[in-house]
Amino acid sequence: MSSIRQEKQISPSEKNTMAGILDSYPEYQTTAVLDKLRKTEYSYLDEQDHLYLDYTGAGLAAKVQYRHHQARLTNQLFSNPHSLNPTSEASTILVEKARARVLDYFNASPEEYTVIFTQNATGAARLVGEAYPFKRNQKFLLTFDNHNSINGIREFASRGHARTVYIPGQASDLRVDPAVLVSALTSRWDWRRATALPCRCKRGLFAYPAQSNFSGVRHPLEWISLAQKCGYDVLLDAAAYLPTKKLDLSDKNLKPEFLIVSWYKLFGYPTGVGCLIARRDAIARLSRPWFSGGTVQAVTVGIRKHFMAEDGTAFEDGTPNFLSIPDVHFGIDWLSHIDMSVIDTRVRCLTGWFLDRMKRLRHSDGAPMIHIYGPRDTKSRGGTVAFNFLDAKGKVVDERLVASESAAVGISLRTGCFCNPGGGENAFGLDTQSLRPLWRFSKSISVDDYIRIVGLPSAGAIRVSFGLASTAADVDRFIDFAEKTYGDRVTPTEGFPPREHC
C-alpha cells in the first residue's frame, strides 16, 4: 500500500525529470532506494525547501544517526578513557570497537595497520608532516592538486632540509601527465620494461589526493605502488574519495603508508573526528617532536626523560573524543547498509547528467554560459564539478554574486579556491612567472590584492558536488536557477564586499 501511495504522489514534473535522466543514464533506476531515504532520513532537505550541493564540503547526516547518538548518551554513562573505572571502561570499549570497525571497513589487517583518531583530516596530515624524518637529499613530492592540509607539510619538509617538488597538472583536464609523474618520482626508470627499478633507500614522501576536492578528478591509485617501488612513502588523502568509493587495503598494490580520512565528509556526523590510518612499519619510522597526555608510557621531571607509547596511541594527543568516536562506528554501519556501490552509481549518473546539461547552457546569441574546469564527462572522476558562469559579454561572473544569489533561493554550494590553490592555478593557467610578483609582498596580503597582482578574473570557481541524498530533481532545480539568473545577463563588476579569504 505504501508504494502505491508514493506512486500517486509523483508529479508530472518529477516524471519528466526521471524520463530525462533515464534516457541517458538508465542505471539511475537501480538507485531508487536512495529516493526513499531522501523522503525519510533526509527529509529535512525538502521540508526546508533546500538544495544542498556541497557534499565535498560536508556529507549530510541521516536522522537515525542523531537518534542513535542521543539514545547512547541518554542510557549510558561515559568518562575519560584514561582510567579503569566503570565509566572509563565503557568509553574505552566503544572507542576500541570503533577502531576495529574502521580497519574492518577498509579490509586492513590490524597486524599491518593501526587507526589513529584525530580532530580532522588536517590533524591527520599534520601528524605525518611533523613526525616524518625529512632530511637533506630527500624530497617531499606532491601534485599541484592538493588540499592546503597537504601543502602545509612543505613547511616541515623545509625544516628538515628536504626539497619540496610539485608535479603540475594539465590545464585541459587538470590531470597529471604520466611521463611527468615518472620523471619526478625517479631517474632510475627502465624504459624498455616500462617499470620502476626498486630503490633501497627512502627518497622521501609522496602525497596526492585519491580524488580532487577542486575538480573531482580521480587520480590513479596505481601511483601508490609505483611511488613505493621508486623509494617513496605514500600519503594518500582520501577525504574527497571515500564518500562514494571504498578502498581495499588488503590489495597488495594498494597499501599506502599513510591514509587520511574525514568522517563527516562520508556521513555528515560526527564532526570533530578524523582519522590517520597508518602502516605499523611506517609509524615506527616517525619521530614525534613533542609528547603530551595519552602519548607516553612514562615520563619523569627529575630527569628530562620520556618513553612514548608503542602503538598508535602515541599519536593521539590528550583525551580522545570519546563521546563522538562511537558515532563513526554507527556511520560506517549506516553506509554499509545502504551499499556504497549504489551511492557511487547515483552520484556518477547525476554528475554526468549535470555536465551534459551545463555544457548545453547558452545565451541567446549562442555564446556559452559556463566554463568547466577539469573533466567534462564521467570518466575517472567523482561527483565534484568546478566551473564559472560567463555573462552575456563573456566575462566571468563574480563568485561573490553567485554565492549571494544562490543562497537567497536556498541553494548551498561552494565558491572560491576550496583550499586547493594548486588546482586553481592549473585551472587558470597561472605559471611561475605569473606568480613571481607576489615575492615583493609581506605575509599580509588581501585576497583582492592577490587577484589583482596575478591577473585572475575571479577568486576561483563555483563548486557543485553530489552525494547520497542527491536526486535528479536537484539537478533540474539548479539548471533552472542558472538559466533564469544568468542567461543573457550582463553582471556587475563592482559593489561587492572585500574578499576575506580564498
Side-chain angles (χ1 to χ4, degrees), residues 47-306:
E47 291 165 359
Q48 299 176 30
D49 192 29
H50 198 90
L51 175 55
Y52 188 78
L53 297 172
D54 192 24
Y55 287 89
T56 299
L60 294 180
K63 292 179 180 180
V64 68
Q65 291 175 255
Y66 296 128
R67 294 195 298 270
H68 179 267
H69 176 83
Q70 182 181 23
R72 175 166 50 83
L73 298 189
T74 301
N75 298 322
Q76 295 177 266
L77 293 176
F78 303 98
S79 69
N80 192 318
H82 293 156
S83 185
L84 295 177
N85 63 63
T87 53
S88 177
E89 283 285 287
S91 296
T92 298
I93 290 171
L94 291 186
V95 169
E96 293 310 310
K97 282 185 176 180
R99 206 186 304 274
R101 184 67 177 94
V102 170
L103 289 175
D104 178 68
Y105 184 71
F106 290 100
N107 289 330
S109 166
E111 284 73 39
E112 185 176 19
Y113 279 93
T114 186
V115 172
I116 300 165
F117 287 114
T118 60
Q119 184 177 5
N120 44 41
T122 297
R126 179 173 180 171
L127 283 180
V128 177
E130 69 180 4
Y132 192 81
F134 289 114
K135 58 186 178 181
R136 202 177 302 276
N137 298 323
Q138 280 190 338
K139 287 192 292 187
F140 174 44
L141 185 64
L142 68 166
T143 56
F144 258 57
D145 182 9
N146 259 301
H147 192 278
N148 272 339
S149 299
I150 306 300
N151 287 323
I153 294 176
R154 71 190 188 193
E155 301 303 307
F156 293 116
S158 177
R159 293 177 188 178
H161 306 288
R163 187 161 58 101
T164 295
V165 177
Y166 278 100
I167 305 171
Q170 301 173 111
S172 58
D173 58 6
L174 305 186
R175 301 187 189 278
V176 173
D177 184 333
V180 174
L181 174 71
V182 168
S183 177
L185 282 171
T186 182
S187 58
R188 299 183 67 213
W189 184 259
D190 188 337
W191 290 104
R192 291 175 300 175
R193 299 180 181 178
T195 58
L197 299 175
C199 180
R200 295 179 181 178
C201 60
K202 284 296 177 187
R203 294 176 179 267
L205 182 66
F206 173 51
Y208 76 100
Q211 180 175 311
S212 171
N213 76 306
F214 184 96
S215 66
V217 165
R218 284 180 177 163
H219 298 295
L221 296 177
E222 291 79 10
W223 290 357
I224 297 172
S225 59
L226 172 61
Q228 289 168 334
K229 290 176 182 176
C230 294
Y232 285 88
D233 288 320
V234 176
L235 170 60
L236 183 68
D237 179 2
Y241 180 87
L242 291 173
T244 55
K245 296 287 284 187
K246 288 191 67 173
L247 287 172
D248 184 356
L249 296 182
S250 68
D251 186 336
K252 65 179 182 180
N253 294 315
L254 208 166
K255 292 187 178 296
E257 279 73 16
F258 309 104
L259 178 68
I260 289 177
V261 182
S262 181
W263 295 112
Y264 76 89
K265 291 184 185 293
L266 273 77
F267 34 74
Y269 184 82
T271 57
V273 181
C275 218
L276 174 64
I277 302 172
R279 275 178 32 183
R280 292 185 180 275
D281 61 336
I283 280 288
R285 294 197 301 272
L286 301 185
S287 177
R288 299 215 65 189
W290 79 308
F291 65 90
S292 65
T295 67
V296 293
Q297 286 184 324
V299 59
T300 66
V301 175
I303 60 171
R304 296 179 183 178
K305 186 71 175 179
H306 69 276

Side-chain angles (χ1 to χ4, degrees), residues 12 39 169 180 205 311 343 352 415 419 497:
K39 294 176 180 179
V180 174
L205 182 66
D311 55 14
I343 299 172
T415 61
C419 297

Side-chain angles (χ1 to χ4, degrees), residues 430-499:
L430 295 180
D431 55 18
T432 303
Q433 192 65 30
S434 303
L435 299 171
R436 197 174 299 278
L438 294 173
W439 283 111
R440 303 197 309 265
F441 293 82
S442 67
K443 293 182 179 179
S444 178
I445 182 174
S446 70
V447 176
D448 289 315
D449 284 339
Y450 167 82
I451 292 171
R452 176 180 53 80
I453 292 165
V454 302
L456 283 171
S458 175
I462 315 302
R463 188 182 73 186
V464 161
S465 50
F466 301 99
L468 70 88
S470 297
T471 66
D474 291 343
V475 175
D476 263 354
R477 180 172 170 180
F478 184 80
I479 296 297
D480 183 65
F481 161 76
E483 290 178 316
K484 291 180 178 177
T485 308
Y486 302 107
D488 292 330
R489 179 182 174 188
V490 176
T491 56
T493 57
E494 299 178 347
F496 302 108
R499 297 177 175 92

